[in-house]
Every structure is written in C-alpha cells, then in structure tokens.
C-alpha cells in the first residue's frame, strides 16, 4: 500500500484512490497520522520537491505539512499564565525558569533530585500504604479543584510551584511538587509531568531568586524544639475528652515517641518485676522496607514513675488502650483543646502532636549521651564510631532507617525569651 511506501510500479489508479480516501477523511475531521506524514515526505521527494505532483497529491501534502507545522508550533509555544503571580513570586526570574523548561522539553531526560542525601522520585502508587493513599487523596482532590476552578495553564502550575519555593521550606516544596506531579500523571498530562520533573532543585531556584535556602521554616523549628513540661501534659489530659481513652494519648505520645498514625498500635506490657514495655508497630512502610524495625520497643525500669503510670493505664484501659481511637478525631479534639488553653498557656500556640515525638527524642538523646559518658568518658563524641552508634540507638527508638533524618530530632528547646 502507498501508506507504507510509494513505489513507481504502482498504478496511478491505486495512488489516486489512496489520496482521495485520505483527503475525504481529512475533510471529515480526521488528523494526519504517522503513515500519512511518511507518505507525504516520500511522494514529495520522488516528485523533485513537489514539482511534478498531481492536484490530489499536492492537496494531500499541503494538509499533512500544515498539520505538522501547527503541531511543532504548539509544542514550542508557552501557554501564558491565566493568573497574576506577581504577588507570590519574582516574575522576571520565574519567566526565565519557565522559558528554560519549555526550551529543554523536547530533549527532556528523567532527573532525580537529592533530598536529605537520598534520591527523590515519585513513589509507585501501588506500593504506598492505605494511610498515605488517603492523605494524598485529600490533597489531590484539593489541587484538582483549584486547577479546575482557576483554569490554570501549565505555566500557572509551574509558577505555583515556584511560589512554593519562594514562600516555604524545602520539604513543603517537595511535598507540593509530588502532589502536583502525581495529579499530572493520573490525568494523563505527560508534558506537564515532564515539565515538573525538569524543575531545578530547591536550592538552585532559591539562588536564582537571590534568597537564602530554608531547610526548615522558623515556625517548624519552634514547634520541634518546644519544651513539653509535665504541667502541659497534665492540663491537656484534663481538657481532652475521655472517649476511647483520648485523655491518656499526650502522656503515651511523650513516653513512646510514636507518630499519631502509630498510636492505635501501641501496646503496654507490665512485667512481674514492675518494669514496663511499650511496643509500637511502624506505620511508615517505606521505613520498614528500607531497614527500620517493623516493631520497636521502649523499656521503663521497675519502680520508675513512668512504669507505674503506664501500668495504671494498662490496668484501666487494656493492653491496647488506643486500638479503637480514630486519629483524625483525636487530631481535631487536640486542636480544640489547645485553642481553649492558649490564653492561659501561651506555649500551647507552638505545640502540635508531632512536638511530642521531638520531645521524646530530646529525652532519649540525653539518656543515651549520659550512658555513653559513664561508659566511655566525657569526650566520647570525638570517637566517630561511638557517635554513629549513639545516633543509631536513637534512630532505632524513633523507627528511622536514615540517620540523617534522625539528626533533626532531639534538638535542644528554644531559648526562653527575656
């Protein structure tokens, strides 16, 4: 057939039938395909650059070549933003970055950024946990609604991500980027997916904007280093509802360092000698797959105040006191309780549920440091192997597989203002 190559031996009748059929299809709205383009190029070359073409052949080539030129123009054309982003981002710098992305798109190659020393790439949706899918589902629905209502072009979406770099920390940018990239993949927006993947790393964009790189926002650091006193814990326990043992959650979070999603899995074991053990199932499947223990345990010595209080909770509420608790409901109740207490306790404003995990890490880091000091002397930190072993101990208690992530935990509380 002619679509697979024009041979001189083919009859003129067969040729004309082909061209008439395809021209009729074009009139019906069908677009030229790859076979049409190949046929047009061959017939044009065989007729000495179109000099000896029939009317049908010339009309056929004109439709195909015009469609090709239009497609190339559309691929190179940068869609203008539908929203004014001048309040959120430096437009001059943003325009330069967007131009570079579109110019490099035809020669696009997959690129992996480095985040905290690890390769950053979009996770396989099928391998994510149900909890992660649920959380991502909410964010995807929100971004889909925003894009549809605001009628964002691809350029708008890139500007939105650049504005995230300008206004927020690195972790916020990578989270936003992953959400938008997953939205593009789920909606078949291949070109947008490639554009997002080609965006430079966070630090490079910050430098283009002439700004300092923010690895963790000041508010997040403040929350991470908030000192949680026994008085704050006791006050929160009184303010929280007693349904499904929610009032005991702040105390157990502080003693165990559990993530909120791990709280329903917490088990309290009381031994015959009076000691106590908390066991937690790691909720982050990625950590468990990459080397972190699937279950971790925190031990409390016999006769200690913590062991006695945990034993009392286990006796009253059972071995799994939070098994029936809904994490979203607890988060809502925690925020409401915190808001009611903010006037009396100003520190409550910078407190969140994850702050208990950081406070636990601070306590454990001090205990580990004292243990190593007694065993190896005051200068034990100068020994690289001992320092690494201490960090590994803390990582094990927190359920981390990456020691660099553990380094963000256990920082000293923020200095008190005078």
């Amino acid at each position: 057939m002619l679509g697979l190559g024009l041979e001189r031996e083919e009859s003129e009748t067969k040729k004309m039938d082909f061209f008439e059929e395809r021209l009729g299809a074009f009139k019906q709205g069908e677009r030229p395909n790859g076979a049409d383009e190949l046929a047009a190029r061959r017939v044009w070359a065989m007729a000495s650059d179109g000099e000896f073409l029939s009317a049908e052949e010339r009309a056929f080539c004109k439709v195909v070549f015009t469609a090709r030129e239009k497609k190339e123009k559309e691929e190179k054309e940068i869609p203008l933003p539908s929203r004014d982003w001048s309040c959120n981002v430096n437009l001059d710098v943003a325009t330069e970055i967007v131009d570079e992305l579109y110019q490099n798109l035809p020669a696009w190659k997959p690129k992996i950024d480095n985040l905290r020393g690890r390769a950053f790439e979009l996770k396989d949706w099928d391998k994510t946990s149900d909890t992660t899918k649920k959380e991502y589902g909410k964010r995807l629905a929100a971004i889909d609604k925003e894009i549809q209502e605001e009628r964002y072009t691809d350029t708008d979406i890139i500007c939105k991500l650049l504005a995230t770099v300008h206004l927020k920390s690195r972790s916020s940018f990578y989270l936003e980027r992953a959400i938008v990239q997953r939205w593009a993949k789920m909606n078949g927006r291949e070109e947008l997916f490639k554009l997002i993947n080609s965006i430079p790393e966070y630090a490079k964009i910050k430098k283009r904007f002439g700004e300092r790189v923010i690895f963790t926002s000041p508010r997040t650091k403040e929350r991470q280093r908030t000192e949680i006193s026994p008085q704050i814990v006791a006050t929160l326990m009184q303010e929280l509802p007693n349904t499904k043992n929610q009032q005991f959650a702040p105390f157990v979070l502080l003693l165990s360092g559990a993530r909120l999603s791990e709280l329903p899995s917490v088990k309290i074991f009381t031994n015959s000698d009076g000691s106590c053990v908390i066991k937690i199932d790691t909720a982050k499947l990625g950590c468990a797959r990459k080397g972190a223990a699937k279950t971790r345990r925190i031990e409390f010595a016999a006769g200690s105040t913590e062991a006695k209080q945990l034993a009392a909770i286990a006796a009253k509420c059972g071995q799994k006191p939070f098994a029936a608790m809904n994490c979203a409901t607890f988060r809502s109740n925690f925020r409401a309780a915190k808001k009611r207490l903010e006037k009396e306790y100003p520190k409550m404003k910078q407190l969140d549920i994850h702050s208990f995990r950081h406070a636990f890490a601070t306590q454990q880091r001090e205990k580990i440091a004292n243990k190593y000091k007694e065993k190896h002397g005051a200068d034990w930190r100068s020994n690289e192997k001992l320092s690494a072993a201490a960090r590994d101990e803390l990582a094990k208690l927190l359920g981390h597989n990456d020691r660099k992530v553990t380094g963000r935990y256990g920082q000293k509380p923020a200095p008190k203002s005078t």
Side-chain angles (χ1 to χ4, degrees), residues 2-117:
L2 187 58
L4 300 176
L6 295 174
E7 303 294 339
R8 293 183 184 277
E9 293 82 8
E10 287 183 335
S11 67
E12 288 297 320
T13 305
K14 211 170 188 179
K15 283 189 200 177
M16 292 309 105
D17 288 345
F18 171 80
F19 289 123
E20 285 176 8
E21 181 187 337
R22 294 307 295 151
L23 285 169
F26 298 155
K27 286 179 182 178
Q28 295 296 322
E30 186 176 327
R31 293 185 178 183
N33 54 35
D36 292 329
E37 188 171 336
L38 182 61
R41 290 182 183 279
R42 286 183 175 177
V43 75
W44 189 270
M46 289 171 62
S48 302
D49 291 335
E51 189 176 350
F52 304 106
L53 286 179
S54 66
E56 289 81 1
E57 290 172 331
R58 191 174 294 278
F60 173 80
C61 290
K62 184 178 180 182
V63 173
V64 174
F65 293 152
T66 302
R68 182 61 189 168
E69 287 173 8
K70 186 179 178 182
K71 187 179 178 183
E72 288 176 351
K73 187 179 179 182
E74 286 174 354
E75 286 175 350
K76 291 179 181 178
E77 190 175 317
I78 299 173
L80 295 174
S82 59
R83 174 179 165 182
D84 181 11
W85 292 93
S86 56
C87 297
N88 304 84
V89 67
N90 184 325
L91 281 182
D92 292 335
V93 177
T95 302
E96 288 177 9
I97 295 172
V98 170
D99 285 341
E100 289 169 12
L101 292 177
Y102 276 98
Q103 287 169 10
N104 294 329
L105 185 59
W108 173 83
K109 292 181 181 179
K111 178 175 65 64
I112 298 176
D113 293 336
N114 287 318
L115 179 62
R116 302 190 193 109

Side-chain angles (χ1 to χ4, degrees), residues 147-166:
I147 290 171
Q148 299 300 332
E149 288 182 354
E150 299 290 338
R151 297 183 180 180
Y152 285 163
T153 63
D154 288 0
T155 303
D156 280 310
I157 294 171
I158 300 299
C159 286
K160 177 179 171 63
L161 291 172
L162 295 177
T164 306
V165 175
H166 172 59

Side-chain angles (χ1 to χ4, degrees), residues 5 27 35 41 57 77 88 103 108 123 193 198 212-213 216 220 233-234 256 279 293 319 338 342 346 392:
K27 286 179 182 178
R41 290 182 183 279
E57 290 172 331
E77 190 175 317
N88 304 84
Q103 287 169 10
W108 173 83
K123 290 181 181 177
F193 181 87
S198 301
R212 182 176 60 86
V213 177
T216 308
T220 301
V233 175
S256 65
K279 287 187 178 180
Q319 196 177 68
K338 189 181 78 165
E342 280 178 1
D392 286 340

